[in-house]
Amino acid sequence: NAGVTQTPKFQVLKTGQSMTLQCAQDMNHEYMSWYRQDPGMGLRLIHYSVGAGITDQGEVPNGYNVSRSTTEDFPLRLLSAAPSQTSVYFCASSYGLAGPSYEQYFGPGTRLTVT
Amino acid sequence: RKEVEQDPGPFNVPEGATVAFNCTYSNSASQSFFWYRQDCRKEPKLLMSVYSSGNEDGRFTAQLNRASQYISLLIRDSKLSDSATYLCVVEGYNFNKFYFGSGTKLNVKP
């Protein structure tokens, strides 16, 4: 199993550009989520999905869109990049929603810089 | 008030020392608690889940104190390889959401 994969690993955008961060998992996990990690802030939840066709907002959803058309893929779209979106983005997945099933597996992250 | 709070450290300890971290949480209804480990510029990885009765995995012991709303992580006989940031994770008000603490940095020195 490849686990959770993310592309690209690094990206530099200019203010106002849009782009999609890709995330895929091959573990047949229902639950997928996107986090951003900023210095001193910990990981903050952007959006999450509990299954194909179902998404919901996390703590910091503004400026981001998601969709979940398949179990495997959960792309994150930046609509109009802003310097405040400079961060490290992690995608995560887990098998279930209760007890030990909650273990989240993380992708290697995408380091995004917006100039 | 933050959902989850941790002392950022760093905790600088010699090899072989015992070190403990605490993490406080605000949602008294939370049922799921975890400790994750994050190495520099890497993704977080699960270290251990925290059960009501406490649990131990080798040199690592996790405890839950519901009355005071905190969880703890104890590391015995610290190794150089334990140097990392330890993230506390707590289930949120919406059971589909998890909140991460900002992490406690541990440096184990020879």
Side-chain angles (χ1 to χ4, degrees):
Chain A
N1 285 352
V4 181
T5 57
Q6 289 183 239
T7 56
K9 285 190 166 50
F10 301 93
Q11 183 69 50
V12 178
L13 290 178
K14 292 188 186 326
T15 297
Q17 287 184 316
S18 62
M19 78 160 295
T20 299
L21 307 186
Q22 301 292 344
C23 174
Q25 52 90 10
D26 61 359
M27 298 175 281
N28 202 31
H29 286 172
E30 290 295 327
Y31 183 90
M32 296 186 74
S33 53
W34 276 102
Y35 295 89
R36 59 177 289 174
Q37 186 173 33
D38 302 296
M41 299 290 291
L43 278 80
R44 291 182 291 168
L45 183 64
I46 304 171
H47 285 286
Y48 67 97
S49 169
V50 298
I54 307 169
T55 64
D56 205 348
Q57 297 181 350
E59 297 176 80
V60 289
N62 292 341
Y64 308 95
N65 273 356
V66 291
S67 59
R68 184 99 180 267
S69 55
T70 66
T71 300
E72 294 77 21
D73 300 297
F74 191 43
L76 178 73
R77 296 183 191 85
L78 278 71
L79 308 173
S80 177
S84 60
Q85 293 179 305
T86 294
S87 188
V88 180
Y89 291 84
F90 288 104
C91 178
S93 72
S94 66
Y95 178 73
L97 300 176
S101 302
Y102 270 139
E103 175 181 357
Q104 293 189 70
Y105 295 83
F106 285 83
T110 294
R111 284 162 177 76
L112 176 68
T113 301
V114 183
T115 61
Chain B
R1 181 184 172 185
K2 286 186 181 179
E3 297 284 343
V4 181
E5 300 209 53
Q6 293 183 252
D7 180 344
F11 286 61
N12 298 308
V13 302
E15 271 187 292
T18 295
V19 61
F21 312 132
N22 281 347
C23 162
T24 58
Y25 62 94
S26 61
N27 179 10
S28 59
S30 292
Q31 297 294 319
S32 299
F33 309 89
F34 307 87
W35 284 103
Y36 278 72
R37 171 193 168 125
Q38 186 174 28
D39 294 298
C40 187
R41 299 180 71 79
K42 297 284 192 181
E43 71 273 23
K45 292 186 179 177
L46 180 68
L47 179 66
M48 58 199 310
S49 302
V50 186
Y51 301 113
S52 296
S53 56
N55 51 308
E56 186 173 315
D57 183 3
R59 298 182 292 108
F60 299 84
T61 300
Q63 296 282 349
L64 168 63
N65 184 316
R66 285 194 182 275
S68 300
Q69 292 183 213
Y70 73 86
I71 64 173
S72 63
L73 178 68
L74 180 78
I75 305 175
R76 289 180 297 277
D77 188 22
S78 298
K79 312 289 184 194
L80 295 175
S81 57
D82 294 334
S83 296
T85 297
Y86 291 84
L87 305 173
C88 168
V89 183
V90 177
E91 176 190 9
Y93 289 99
N94 177 324
F95 297 138
N96 291 330
K97 294 181 183 176
F98 298 91
Y99 293 94
F100 283 72
S102 55
T104 298
K105 187 169 175 58
L106 172 65
N107 295 319
V108 181
K109 311 254 185 220

